[in-house]
Amino acid sequence: MTRFDHLFQHGLEELAEQGRLRTPRSLQPRADGLLEKEDGTVLVDFSSNDYLGLRAHPLLRERALAWAERYGAGSGASRLVTGTAPGMVALEARLAALKGMEAACIFSSGWQANATLVPALAQLSLAATGAAPTLIVDKFIHASLYHGCAAAGVRPLRFRHNDMEHLESLLQKADAPGLKIILTESVFSMDGDRADMAALGTLARQYGAFLCVDEAHATGILGADGKGLADGQADLIIGTFSKALGGMGAFVASSSAVCRWLVNKGSGYIYSTAPSPLVLGAVDAALDLLPQMDATRQHVAALAERFRQHMHHAGLETGPSSTQIVPVVVGSERTALTLSRMVEDAGFLAIAIRPPTVPPGGCRLRVVLHGNHTEAQVDQLAQVLRDAVAKCAVEGAL
């Protein structure tokens, strides 16, 4: 105990009253895409971001062990000290090619990459123009990008989600001498919708803005050979290994000059131990598999559309989803938690998403489709949800 535990306990009790208390729990992943609870109960995983079902793929495990055998379990230090192995250099070249860029720079996590990127770009603006940048961001960007804005000491201008007219109006008004930077995502993780990449690229070029696109939820699962959706429109792309690629970590892909700047000014790169060779070996294997997985990507897209149709026929809202992420928007924290428990009791994991991750009144079950799901599992989940919603309505829990 500490002398201040009563303050923390008070805060936790308030979160519980609001239906926003979160508690980690033990779930054992299995190779077949299922999850096992401590009591032996098996759940079909409709919550993780393992879009292609690669995290248990034998090739990823074999390559991880091979890299550990060659380079060791850990990297030893920051890459600028002792942490860069030849395999990592070659892997960065592969990632740059995946995104059609000159260079790439690996980070330990997507959060670290985003939180590092924005301050480093702000320093570039100050060094090159003598003025802080103008950060223009989609309202729904990830919390890590907002954290980067705060760390940079720059208050961002937010445009309405995917509203290109509003973005253009902010670009027109941005007359400060600093660098204009647009921060957005190609796929948004809570709504499963896509940005208009062509329009974003056109506006960035027209107004001389530096376009940064987080492709965490597109890399590997969307686009030709899983290359994502940026399609040559962005000046800089952030990608992660922890979703469709089945591993852990992230990268920034851009020009050689941009990546060299990050090596010199990115605090998360300079002051953090480099990722484990075990992790990077798995990524290397995942990149081998991506070009061969068109059928899996098509399967996931078909399952997502099938589930959306089930929800629409049941009168349930899935928002603007057009990807493997399908939100079932139900409103309150109480409703979302109740439905999530009922779904789990039926053998499926579909986690309730609550504020601050989504706006108040926008609570949802975030259903994620994977390559190892079957049509039968999707149909069963849809039926369970329909029955659960009907029961909640009768009992007044909606």
Side-chain angles (χ1 to χ4, degrees), residues 35-90:
L35 299 169
E36 189 171 328
K37 297 168 67 173
E38 288 183 312
D39 63 2
T41 302
V42 175
L43 302 175
V44 182
D45 174 16
F46 277 98
S47 283
S48 78
N49 297 320
D50 185 24
Y51 302 135
L52 294 174
L54 288 182
R55 68 173 171 171
H57 194 286
L59 184 62
L60 270 68
R61 290 184 290 180
E62 291 169 11
R63 191 74 56 83
L65 292 175
W67 277 48
E69 185 71 27
R70 181 178 180 185
Y71 299 119
S75 58
S78 162
R79 290 181 64 186
L80 294 176
V81 181
T82 61
T84 297
M88 182 182 286
V89 176

Side-chain angles (χ1 to χ4, degrees), residues 51 137-142 145 159-164 183-197 200 213-218 222 229 320-327 364 366:
Y51 302 135
V137 310
D138 187 291
K139 181 180 179 180
F140 286 175
I141 57 169
H142 195 266
L145 285 169
F159 62 91
R160 290 184 292 272
H161 177 52
N162 277 344
D163 187 333
M164 296 299 100
L183 300 177
T184 189
E185 302 180 26
S186 59
V187 173
F188 291 84
S189 63
M190 290 299 112
D191 285 329
D193 57 337
R194 310 174 190 222
D196 186 340
M197 288 306 312
L200 283 161
V213 180
D214 187 338
E215 288 233 275
H217 295 276
L222 298 173
L229 301 176
S321 167
S322 66
T323 66
Q324 71 281 359
I325 303 165
V326 185
R364 64 201 60 194
R366 180 180 182 266

